[in-house]
Amino acid sequence: MTAPHPICDVKARPAIRRWKAAFACLMLPLLAGCPSQPQRAATPAQAQAPTLASPVQLPQQAAIAFNAQALNAQRNQRLIDQVERSYQSGVTNYRAGRLDAARQDFDLAVDLMLTSGYDLQGDPQLNDEFNHIVDAVNSLEMDALKQGNGFSPKVEASPLEEAGNVTFPSNPELMQKVTEELAVTKSDLPLVINDYVAGYINYFTNSKAGHAHLVSSLERVGRYKAMIQKDLAAEGVPQDLIYLAVAESGFQPQALNARSGAGGMWQFMPFAGAYGLERNGWFDERFDPEKSSIAYAKYMKTLYDQFGDWYLAMAAYNWGPGNVQRSVQRTGYADFWELYKLNALPAETKNYVPGIVAAIIMAKNPKQYGLDTVVPEPEVDSDTETVDYAIDLRLVADVTGSTVEQIVELNPALLRLATPNDISYDLHLPAGTKDLFEKRIADIPEEHRASWRFHVVQDGESIATIADTFHVKAHDIAVVNDMKPDDDVDKGDELLIPVAPAAAMGGIHSARYTVRHGDTLITVADRFGVTVEDLRTWNHLRTNAVPIGKSLVVAEPLRLAPSTHVRSRRGRSGSRRHTSSASRSKPSSKKANRP
């Protein structure tokens, strides 16, 4: 048997990637006679076919294809090496406690991929790297970004997190009181009272921390209650299952579990295509209150269709349907409370369902539990503008006359202070501002909406003072507004502010600059329209001295994830796999057949 060509034999060249070796085995028979498969004699028809290339053309075409493939691979590898260097730098900074520096490194790692111009979806090598980086960053940044960038609200612990594994002795008096209440309590769930539920009612009533967290949850629910109830009704899910969010997030859209990666109001896990929610380097729909609530309603309906019981569906939401199904089959009981008594559930799930039931009972009987003074927050009201271009959220705030905090709060799914480019996105605006947004944004060229600003002149301002505020030249403001630098401006005048995007001058990232001979912090700050203090803050500098060759961050770091709260170690006892399990058998009665 003929010996294999050394490049065709993967074992002979272990340093060569398997895909390259496989490609070589396909191409080298034409180039060097590598016997990848037995040769067959050509038939006369094949020999006379006029479309066959000449013996000289075949090696030339193969060589061109091979060279193109090799060049693409080299190009991809250079990008991947840059991305990995930035990511590893972020990991180093993260472990050293330099959280802001870690955030900048992680931003850069993702930006390098997104701004490369390469086909990340079509190229398997780049697609794998992008998914790897996004997943790794979203995992590590949970803790690194918990300090946020000043725009995202601090996320509180949910009431059940604070409760932990509460245990209280049996309280016959409380049991009697709640039993009487349930007789007149209207609910679309079969509410029950037992020692387990009573224990959580006791905790939420008498624990200062437990009561405060429950109150906060019931205040926040007002923002989303009408929307969630509409989604639950559309799927035929009980309205009172809205209170499952008390256990999951306390109705906080940007809640995020740093240990498991579960995120959003309904704490969905971050795997590709989960629940029909899109997730990429620009936005994560798990944090979108409306889209995630629709996904929650659909998923709960799926769980109920599988188990035929809302309590088991809640348990499956927490522990995973496969785990609950196995417990049902092992014990023979398709009943949550029986599984509880038989210790066939993990501690977290045993506490999860009673805690939710307790919250429902208390929310529906507010006066009895000191909740009658709770005032729900106003319902979130917004206009929606679908955009398919990148626009900085600071510009959105400018043209709508609102604040960046308001815009971020209305768009919690955005992972950055900007919308993505060339991807359709539903941008939420303060209610009543859509017409104003469209009118003002029309004057700003689309290619400048990711950097330019908009300003309404205030008393005492001039073009010069406005230029100083935005770190731009008065001449540039005058030019784009068809004025002269010394022209007077009046209160209420609307001006476009041509803030230049940070250019990649000597660096590898649009928000970085490599210091050259003769540079100082003052000259760099002037070049990029920022302040010296900004440069010192963003780059953790103690002096104005910068060595030649140092890479400086020259634009305000963008946030890559929402502010987070790290859950305690008593969080989920197992990985929650919210996957459809409709194909599994559904228990036909409360007492299931034993396996």
mmCIF file of all heavy atoms in Angstrom, residues 223-268:
data_model
loop_
_atom_site.group_PDB
_atom_site.id
_atom_site.type_symbol
_atom_site.label_atom_id
_atom_site.label_comp_id
_atom_site.label_asym_id
_atom_site.label_seq_id
_atom_site.Cartn_x
_atom_site.Cartn_y
_atom_site.Cartn_z
ATOM 1 N N ARG A 223 -45.213 48.424 37.340
ATOM 2 C CA ARG A 223 -44.624 48.871 36.078
ATOM 3 C C ARG A 223 -44.964 47.932 34.926
ATOM 4 O O ARG A 223 -45.039 48.351 33.771
ATOM 5 C CB ARG A 223 -43.103 48.980 36.227
ATOM 6 C CG ARG A 223 -42.655 49.995 37.256
ATOM 7 C CD ARG A 223 -41.165 49.874 37.554
ATOM 8 N NE ARG A 223 -40.345 50.037 36.360
ATOM 9 C CZ ARG A 223 -40.015 51.204 35.823
ATOM 10 N NH1 ARG A 223 -40.435 52.331 36.383
ATOM 11 N NH2 ARG A 223 -39.257 51.269 34.762
ATOM 12 N N TYR A 224 -45.150 46.646 35.241
ATOM 13 C CA TYR A 224 -45.287 45.651 34.177
ATOM 14 C C TYR A 224 -46.536 44.789 34.293
ATOM 15 O O TYR A 224 -46.753 43.904 33.466
ATOM 16 C CB TYR A 224 -44.052 44.738 34.173
ATOM 17 C CG TYR A 224 -42.746 45.482 34.223
ATOM 18 C CD1 TYR A 224 -41.970 45.510 35.384
ATOM 19 C CD2 TYR A 224 -42.282 46.185 33.112
ATOM 20 C CE1 TYR A 224 -40.775 46.209 35.438
ATOM 21 C CE2 TYR A 224 -41.086 46.879 33.158
ATOM 22 C CZ TYR A 224 -40.343 46.888 34.328
ATOM 23 O OH TYR A 224 -39.163 47.595 34.365
ATOM 24 N N LYS A 225 -47.368 45.022 35.324
ATOM 25 C CA LYS A 225 -48.466 44.107 35.623
ATOM 26 C C LYS A 225 -49.427 43.940 34.461
ATOM 27 O O LYS A 225 -49.766 42.806 34.065
ATOM 28 C CB LYS A 225 -49.225 44.586 36.859
ATOM 29 C CG LYS A 225 -50.263 43.582 37.359
ATOM 30 C CD LYS A 225 -50.850 44.011 38.696
ATOM 31 C CE LYS A 225 -51.794 42.946 39.231
ATOM 32 N NZ LYS A 225 -52.341 43.339 40.566
ATOM 33 N N ALA A 226 -49.890 45.030 33.867
ATOM 34 C CA ALA A 226 -50.865 44.936 32.776
ATOM 35 C C ALA A 226 -50.288 44.176 31.584
ATOM 36 O O ALA A 226 -50.968 43.337 30.984
ATOM 37 C CB ALA A 226 -51.312 46.329 32.352
ATOM 38 N N MET A 227 -49.033 44.438 31.265
ATOM 39 C CA MET A 227 -48.383 43.772 30.141
ATOM 40 C C MET A 227 -48.260 42.264 30.391
ATOM 41 O O MET A 227 -48.590 41.446 29.528
ATOM 42 C CB MET A 227 -46.999 44.369 29.907
ATOM 43 C CG MET A 227 -46.184 43.685 28.831
ATOM 44 S SD MET A 227 -44.441 44.142 28.943
ATOM 45 C CE MET A 227 -43.941 43.314 30.460
ATOM 46 N N ILE A 228 -47.786 41.894 31.590
ATOM 47 C CA ILE A 228 -47.594 40.476 31.896
ATOM 48 C C ILE A 228 -48.927 39.741 31.936
ATOM 49 O O ILE A 228 -49.052 38.621 31.421
ATOM 50 C CB ILE A 228 -46.852 40.318 33.235
ATOM 51 C CG1 ILE A 228 -45.459 40.940 33.147
ATOM 52 C CG2 ILE A 228 -46.740 38.841 33.609
ATOM 53 C CD1 ILE A 228 -44.732 40.994 34.482
ATOM 54 N N GLN A 229 -49.941 40.352 32.530
ATOM 55 C CA GLN A 229 -51.256 39.710 32.594
ATOM 56 C C GLN A 229 -51.823 39.465 31.209
ATOM 57 O O GLN A 229 -52.457 38.431 30.957
ATOM 58 C CB GLN A 229 -52.209 40.556 33.434
ATOM 59 C CG GLN A 229 -51.899 40.526 34.921
ATOM 60 C CD GLN A 229 -52.862 41.354 35.745
ATOM 61 O OE1 GLN A 229 -53.396 42.357 35.283
ATOM 62 N NE2 GLN A 229 -53.086 40.939 36.979
ATOM 63 N N LYS A 230 -51.581 40.394 30.287
ATOM 64 C CA LYS A 230 -52.035 40.208 28.903
ATOM 65 C C LYS A 230 -51.328 39.005 28.269
ATOM 66 O O LYS A 230 -51.973 38.180 27.599
ATOM 67 C CB LYS A 230 -51.740 41.475 28.092
ATOM 68 C CG LYS A 230 -52.023 41.349 26.594
ATOM 69 C CD LYS A 230 -51.768 42.659 25.886
ATOM 70 C CE LYS A 230 -50.319 43.073 25.960
ATOM 71 N NZ LYS A 230 -49.432 42.194 25.165
ATOM 72 N N ASP A 231 -50.039 38.872 28.521
ATOM 73 C CA ASP A 231 -49.278 37.754 27.951
ATOM 74 C C ASP A 231 -49.722 36.423 28.557
ATOM 75 O O ASP A 231 -49.825 35.405 27.853
ATOM 76 C CB ASP A 231 -47.778 37.968 28.185
ATOM 77 C CG ASP A 231 -47.249 39.204 27.477
ATOM 78 O OD1 ASP A 231 -47.839 39.597 26.451
ATOM 79 O OD2 ASP A 231 -46.252 39.785 27.947
ATOM 80 N N LEU A 232 -49.980 36.405 29.864
ATOM 81 C CA LEU A 232 -50.437 35.181 30.515
ATOM 82 C C LEU A 232 -51.805 34.769 29.984
ATOM 83 O O LEU A 232 -52.056 33.584 29.721
ATOM 84 C CB LEU A 232 -50.499 35.384 32.030
ATOM 85 C CG LEU A 232 -49.168 35.638 32.749
ATOM 86 C CD1 LEU A 232 -49.415 35.914 34.231
ATOM 87 C CD2 LEU A 232 -48.221 34.458 32.582
ATOM 88 N N ALA A 233 -52.691 35.752 29.823
ATOM 89 C CA ALA A 233 -54.034 35.452 29.313
ATOM 90 C C ALA A 233 -53.980 34.889 27.906
ATOM 91 O O ALA A 233 -54.746 33.977 27.549
ATOM 92 C CB ALA A 233 -54.895 36.712 29.356
ATOM 93 N N ALA A 234 -53.067 35.393 27.093
ATOM 94 C CA ALA A 234 -52.955 34.939 25.700
ATOM 95 C C ALA A 234 -52.585 33.463 25.626
ATOM 96 O O ALA A 234 -52.950 32.767 24.672
ATOM 97 C CB ALA A 234 -51.925 35.784 24.958
ATOM 98 N N GLU A 235 -51.871 32.958 26.639
ATOM 99 C CA GLU A 235 -51.444 31.550 26.641
ATOM 100 C C GLU A 235 -52.307 30.683 27.551
ATOM 101 O O GLU A 235 -52.039 29.491 27.697
ATOM 102 C CB GLU A 235 -49.975 31.459 27.079
ATOM 103 C CG GLU A 235 -48.999 32.131 26.133
ATOM 104 C CD GLU A 235 -49.013 31.529 24.748
ATOM 105 O OE1 GLU A 235 -49.223 30.292 24.638
ATOM 106 O OE2 GLU A 235 -48.824 32.277 23.769
ATOM 107 N N GLY A 236 -53.312 31.277 28.205
ATOM 108 C CA GLY A 236 -54.154 30.503 29.110
ATOM 109 C C GLY A 236 -53.455 30.122 30.392
ATOM 110 O O GLY A 236 -53.755 29.082 30.998
ATOM 111 N N VAL A 237 -52.530 30.958 30.841
ATOM 112 C CA VAL A 237 -51.783 30.708 32.075
ATOM 113 C C VAL A 237 -52.436 31.511 33.202
ATOM 114 O O VAL A 237 -52.807 32.661 33.005
ATOM 115 C CB VAL A 237 -50.305 31.117 31.907
ATOM 116 C CG1 VAL A 237 -49.544 30.993 33.224
ATOM 117 C CG2 VAL A 237 -49.646 30.268 30.824
ATOM 118 N N PRO A 238 -52.609 30.935 34.395
ATOM 119 C CA PRO A 238 -53.235 31.661 35.503
ATOM 120 C C PRO A 238 -52.590 33.020 35.755
ATOM 121 O O PRO A 238 -51.360 33.135 35.774
ATOM 122 C CB PRO A 238 -53.033 30.718 36.696
ATOM 123 C CG PRO A 238 -52.974 29.357 36.087
ATOM 124 C CD PRO A 238 -52.262 29.541 34.774
ATOM 125 N N GLN A 239 -53.432 34.027 35.969
ATOM 126 C CA GLN A 239 -52.939 35.377 36.193
ATOM 127 C C GLN A 239 -52.045 35.466 37.425
ATOM 128 O O GLN A 239 -51.082 36.243 37.455
ATOM 129 C CB GLN A 239 -54.119 36.333 36.352
ATOM 130 C CG GLN A 239 -54.942 36.516 35.077
ATOM 131 C CD GLN A 239 -54.211 37.364 34.039
ATOM 132 O OE1 GLN A 239 -54.009 38.548 34.250
ATOM 133 N NE2 GLN A 239 -53.830 36.753 32.939
ATOM 134 N N ASP A 240 -52.338 34.668 38.443
ATOM 135 C CA ASP A 240 -51.558 34.773 39.677
ATOM 136 C C ASP A 240 -50.136 34.230 39.536
ATOM 137 O O ASP A 240 -49.308 34.417 40.442
ATOM 138 C CB ASP A 240 -52.279 34.061 40.819
ATOM 139 C CG ASP A 240 -53.436 34.894 41.351
ATOM 140 O OD1 ASP A 240 -53.480 36.101 41.036
ATOM 141 O OD2 ASP A 240 -54.297 34.344 42.062
ATOM 142 N N LEU A 241 -49.834 33.580 38.430
ATOM 143 C CA LEU A 241 -48.452 33.144 38.211
ATOM 144 C C LEU A 241 -47.538 34.307 37.861
ATOM 145 O O LEU A 241 -46.342 34.118 37.656
ATOM 146 C CB LEU A 241 -48.391 32.069 37.124
ATOM 147 C CG LEU A 241 -48.713 30.657 37.622
ATOM 148 C CD1 LEU A 241 -48.615 29.649 36.491
ATOM 149 C CD2 LEU A 241 -47.776 30.257 38.762
ATOM 150 N N ILE A 242 -48.087 35.520 37.805
ATOM 151 C CA ILE A 242 -47.243 36.708 37.672
ATOM 152 C C ILE A 242 -46.290 36.793 38.867
ATOM 153 O O ILE A 242 -45.171 37.294 38.749
ATOM 154 C CB ILE A 242 -48.106 37.983 37.575
ATOM 155 C CG1 ILE A 242 -47.235 39.205 37.265
ATOM 156 C CG2 ILE A 242 -48.898 38.215 38.843
ATOM 157 C CD1 ILE A 242 -48.042 40.482 37.045
ATOM 158 N N TYR A 243 -46.731 36.271 40.023
ATOM 159 C CA TYR A 243 -45.932 36.403 41.239
ATOM 160 C C TYR A 243 -44.763 35.429 41.299
ATOM 161 O O TYR A 243 -43.987 35.460 42.265
ATOM 162 C CB TYR A 243 -46.830 36.252 42.468
ATOM 163 C CG TYR A 243 -47.819 37.382 42.584
ATOM 164 C CD1 TYR A 243 -49.162 37.185 42.265
ATOM 165 C CD2 TYR A 243 -47.414 38.658 42.958
ATOM 166 C CE1 TYR A 243 -50.077 38.226 42.339
ATOM 167 C CE2 TYR A 243 -48.317 39.705 43.035
ATOM 168 C CZ TYR A 243 -49.644 39.485 42.716
ATOM 169 O OH TYR A 243 -50.532 40.537 42.786
ATOM 170 N N LEU A 244 -44.587 34.584 40.289
ATOM 171 C CA LEU A 244 -43.379 33.776 40.222
ATOM 172 C C LEU A 244 -42.155 34.681 40.103
ATOM 173 O O LEU A 244 -41.061 34.328 40.540
ATOM 174 C CB LEU A 244 -43.454 32.811 39.033
ATOM 175 C CG LEU A 244 -42.280 31.846 38.860
ATOM 176 C CD1 LEU A 244 -42.796 30.455 38.481
ATOM 177 C CD2 LEU A 244 -41.324 32.328 37.779
ATOM 178 N N ALA A 245 -42.353 35.878 39.537
ATOM 179 C CA ALA A 245 -41.241 36.829 39.414
ATOM 180 C C ALA A 245 -40.779 37.347 40.767
ATOM 181 O O ALA A 245 -39.664 37.860 40.890
ATOM 182 C CB ALA A 245 -41.636 38.002 38.516
ATOM 183 N N VAL A 246 -41.628 37.223 41.807
ATOM 184 C CA VAL A 246 -41.187 37.601 43.153
ATOM 185 C C VAL A 246 -39.999 36.726 43.548
ATOM 186 O O VAL A 246 -39.009 37.198 44.105
ATOM 187 C CB VAL A 246 -42.336 37.453 44.165
ATOM 188 C CG1 VAL A 246 -41.821 37.606 45.596
ATOM 189 C CG2 VAL A 246 -43.419 38.490 43.890
ATOM 190 N N ALA A 247 -40.101 35.440 43.237
ATOM 191 C CA ALA A 247 -39.019 34.507 43.568
ATOM 192 C C ALA A 247 -37.826 34.677 42.650
ATOM 193 O O ALA A 247 -36.680 34.527 43.069
ATOM 194 C CB ALA A 247 -39.536 33.071 43.494
ATOM 195 N N GLU A 248 -38.079 34.962 41.374
ATOM 196 C CA GLU A 248 -36.996 34.987 40.399
ATOM 197 C C GLU A 248 -36.179 36.273 40.419
ATOM 198 O O GLU A 248 -34.960 36.238 40.363
ATOM 199 C CB GLU A 248 -37.559 34.766 38.994
ATOM 200 C CG GLU A 248 -38.124 33.377 38.755
ATOM 201 C CD GLU A 248 -37.048 32.305 38.745
ATOM 202 O OE1 GLU A 248 -35.854 32.644 38.719
ATOM 203 O OE2 GLU A 248 -37.403 31.113 38.790
ATOM 204 N N SER A 249 -36.859 37.431 40.457
ATOM 205 C CA SER A 249 -36.132 38.682 40.255
ATOM 206 C C SER A 249 -36.665 39.862 41.042
ATOM 207 O O SER A 249 -36.048 40.925 41.024
ATOM 208 C CB SER A 249 -36.173 39.055 38.763
ATOM 209 O OG SER A 249 -37.510 39.385 38.383
ATOM 210 N N GLY A 250 -37.802 39.697 41.708
ATOM 211 C CA GLY A 250 -38.422 40.848 42.327
ATOM 212 C C GLY A 250 -38.877 41.870 41.297
ATOM 213 O O GLY A 250 -38.921 43.066 41.565
ATOM 214 N N PHE A 251 -39.220 41.391 40.071
ATOM 215 C CA PHE A 251 -39.690 42.228 38.956
ATOM 216 C C PHE A 251 -38.622 43.234 38.509
ATOM 217 O O PHE A 251 -38.929 44.359 38.126
ATOM 218 C CB PHE A 251 -40.986 42.956 39.323
ATOM 219 C CG PHE A 251 -42.149 42.028 39.520
ATOM 220 C CD1 PHE A 251 -42.534 41.643 40.799
ATOM 221 C CD2 PHE A 251 -42.832 41.510 38.441
ATOM 222 C CE1 PHE A 251 -43.593 40.768 40.991
ATOM 223 C CE2 PHE A 251 -43.901 40.630 38.612
ATOM 224 C CZ PHE A 251 -44.271 40.259 39.891
ATOM 225 N N GLN A 252 -37.368 42.802 38.497
ATOM 226 C CA GLN A 252 -36.265 43.647 38.021
ATOM 227 C C GLN A 252 -35.787 43.108 36.672
ATOM 228 O O GLN A 252 -35.243 42.000 36.597
ATOM 229 C CB GLN A 252 -35.126 43.635 39.040
ATOM 230 C CG GLN A 252 -35.534 44.222 40.379
ATOM 231 C CD GLN A 252 -34.468 44.049 41.438
ATOM 232 O OE1 GLN A 252 -33.709 44.958 41.733
ATOM 233 N NE2 GLN A 252 -34.410 42.868 42.016
ATOM 234 N N PRO A 253 -35.963 43.864 35.586
ATOM 235 C CA PRO A 253 -35.629 43.356 34.253
ATOM 236 C C PRO A 253 -34.160 43.007 34.075
ATOM 237 O O PRO A 253 -33.826 42.158 33.260
ATOM 238 C CB PRO A 253 -36.024 44.516 33.333
ATOM 239 C CG PRO A 253 -37.021 45.302 34.096
ATOM 240 C CD PRO A 253 -36.604 45.189 35.522
ATOM 241 N N GLN A 254 -33.262 43.671 34.829
ATOM 242 C CA GLN A 254 -31.842 43.427 34.625
ATOM 243 C C GLN A 254 -31.230 42.548 35.706
ATOM 244 O O GLN A 254 -30.007 42.480 35.832
ATOM 245 C CB GLN A 254 -31.092 44.758 34.545
ATOM 246 C CG GLN A 254 -31.399 45.527 33.260
ATOM 247 C CD GLN A 254 -30.470 46.705 33.064
ATOM 248 O OE1 GLN A 254 -30.119 47.386 34.019
ATOM 249 N NE2 GLN A 254 -30.072 46.944 31.835
ATOM 250 N N ALA A 255 -32.055 41.840 36.444
ATOM 251 C CA ALA A 255 -31.515 40.909 37.436
ATOM 252 C C ALA A 255 -30.702 39.837 36.733
ATOM 253 O O ALA A 255 -31.074 39.350 35.666
ATOM 254 C CB ALA A 255 -32.657 40.268 38.231
ATOM 255 N N LEU A 256 -29.575 39.478 37.331
ATOM 256 C CA LEU A 256 -28.705 38.500 36.677
ATOM 257 C C LEU A 256 -27.981 37.679 37.727
ATOM 258 O O LEU A 256 -27.419 38.228 38.678
ATOM 259 C CB LEU A 256 -27.700 39.227 35.770
ATOM 260 C CG LEU A 256 -27.222 38.431 34.557
ATOM 261 C CD1 LEU A 256 -26.757 39.357 33.464
ATOM 262 C CD2 LEU A 256 -26.113 37.490 34.943
ATOM 263 N N ASN A 257 -28.013 36.373 37.577
ATOM 264 C CA ASN A 257 -27.372 35.449 38.504
ATOM 265 C C ASN A 257 -25.948 35.187 38.027
ATOM 266 O O ASN A 257 -25.734 34.535 37.006
ATOM 267 C CB ASN A 257 -28.170 34.140 38.573
ATOM 268 C CG ASN A 257 -27.641 33.206 39.636
ATOM 269 O OD1 ASN A 257 -26.449 33.055 39.815
ATOM 270 N ND2 ASN A 257 -28.560 32.572 40.362
ATOM 271 N N ALA A 258 -24.969 35.724 38.759
ATOM 272 C CA ALA A 258 -23.574 35.614 38.336
ATOM 273 C C ALA A 258 -23.075 34.175 38.353
ATOM 274 O O ALA A 258 -22.147 33.831 37.637
ATOM 275 C CB ALA A 258 -22.685 36.476 39.226
ATOM 276 N N ARG A 259 -23.689 33.337 39.187
ATOM 277 C CA ARG A 259 -23.217 31.949 39.280
ATOM 278 C C ARG A 259 -23.735 31.089 38.140
ATOM 279 O O ARG A 259 -22.997 30.340 37.521
ATOM 280 C CB ARG A 259 -23.639 31.356 40.633
ATOM 281 C CG ARG A 259 -23.146 29.931 40.869
ATOM 282 C CD ARG A 259 -23.457 29.517 42.290
ATOM 283 N NE ARG A 259 -24.873 29.596 42.589
ATOM 284 C CZ ARG A 259 -25.744 28.632 42.282
ATOM 285 N NH1 ARG A 259 -25.347 27.553 41.653
ATOM 286 N NH2 ARG A 259 -27.016 28.772 42.609
ATOM 287 N N SER A 260 -25.030 31.226 37.835
ATOM 288 C CA SER A 260 -25.619 30.364 36.810
ATOM 289 C C SER A 260 -25.698 31.031 35.443
ATOM 290 O O SER A 260 -25.794 30.355 34.430
ATOM 291 C CB SER A 260 -27.032 29.941 37.236
ATOM 292 O OG SER A 260 -27.913 31.059 37.194
ATOM 293 N N GLY A 261 -25.673 32.368 35.416
ATOM 294 C CA GLY A 261 -25.843 33.083 34.144
ATOM 295 C C GLY A 261 -27.291 33.357 33.805
ATOM 296 O O GLY A 261 -27.574 33.987 32.776
ATOM 297 N N ALA A 262 -28.246 32.892 34.645
ATOM 298 C CA ALA A 262 -29.652 33.163 34.383
ATOM 299 C C ALA A 262 -29.900 34.664 34.476
ATOM 300 O O ALA A 262 -29.343 35.337 35.336
ATOM 301 C CB ALA A 262 -30.529 32.419 35.396
ATOM 302 N N GLY A 263 -30.730 35.188 33.562
ATOM 303 C CA GLY A 263 -30.896 36.630 33.530
ATOM 304 C C GLY A 263 -32.296 37.081 33.194
ATOM 305 O O GLY A 263 -33.105 36.344 32.627
ATOM 306 N N GLY A 264 -32.593 38.322 33.566
ATOM 307 C CA GLY A 264 -33.861 38.943 33.249
ATOM 308 C C GLY A 264 -34.901 38.745 34.330
ATOM 309 O O GLY A 264 -34.676 38.086 35.347
ATOM 310 N N MET A 265 -36.068 39.312 34.096
ATOM 311 C CA MET A 265 -37.154 39.238 35.063
ATOM 312 C C MET A 265 -37.540 37.794 35.362
ATOM 313 O O MET A 265 -37.904 37.441 36.480
ATOM 314 C CB MET A 265 -38.360 40.011 34.532
ATOM 315 C CG MET A 265 -39.480 40.197 35.532
ATOM 316 S SD MET A 265 -40.916 41.031 34.815
ATOM 317 C CE MET A 265 -40.218 42.597 34.313
ATOM 318 N N TRP A 266 -37.429 36.931 34.333
ATOM 319 C CA TRP A 266 -37.847 35.534 34.500
ATOM 320 C C TRP A 266 -36.665 34.581 34.573
ATOM 321 O O TRP A 266 -36.834 33.365 34.557
ATOM 322 C CB TRP A 266 -38.792 35.140 33.358
ATOM 323 C CG TRP A 266 -39.951 36.078 33.268
ATOM 324 C CD1 TRP A 266 -40.154 37.053 32.339
ATOM 325 C CD2 TRP A 266 -41.058 36.162 34.175
ATOM 326 N NE1 TRP A 266 -41.309 37.735 32.602
ATOM 327 C CE2 TRP A 266 -41.896 37.211 33.725
ATOM 328 C CE3 TRP A 266 -41.436 35.459 35.319
ATOM 329 C CZ2 TRP A 266 -43.072 37.577 34.372
ATOM 330 C CZ3 TRP A 266 -42.609 35.818 35.968
ATOM 331 C CH2 TRP A 266 -43.410 36.856 35.500
ATOM 332 N N GLN A 267 -35.452 35.122 34.650
ATOM 333 C CA GLN A 267 -34.241 34.343 34.891
ATOM 334 C C GLN A 267 -34.054 33.189 33.920
ATOM 335 O O GLN A 267 -33.866 32.027 34.307
ATOM 336 C CB GLN A 267 -34.227 33.837 36.332
ATOM 337 C CG GLN A 267 -34.037 34.945 37.360
ATOM 338 C CD GLN A 267 -32.658 35.565 37.319
ATOM 339 O OE1 GLN A 267 -31.702 34.981 37.807
ATOM 340 N NE2 GLN A 267 -32.537 36.737 36.704
ATOM 341 N N PHE A 268 -34.073 33.509 32.626
ATOM 342 C CA PHE A 268 -33.801 32.501 31.616
ATOM 343 C C PHE A 268 -32.299 32.274 31.488
ATOM 344 O O PHE A 268 -31.497 33.185 31.683
ATOM 345 C CB PHE A 268 -34.366 32.940 30.261
ATOM 346 C CG PHE A 268 -35.868 32.847 30.162
ATOM 347 C CD1 PHE A 268 -36.632 33.944 29.800
ATOM 348 C CD2 PHE A 268 -36.510 31.658 30.423
ATOM 349 C CE1 PHE A 268 -38.010 33.850 29.698
ATOM 350 C CE2 PHE A 268 -37.898 31.548 30.331
ATOM 351 C CZ PHE A 268 -38.647 32.660 29.967
#
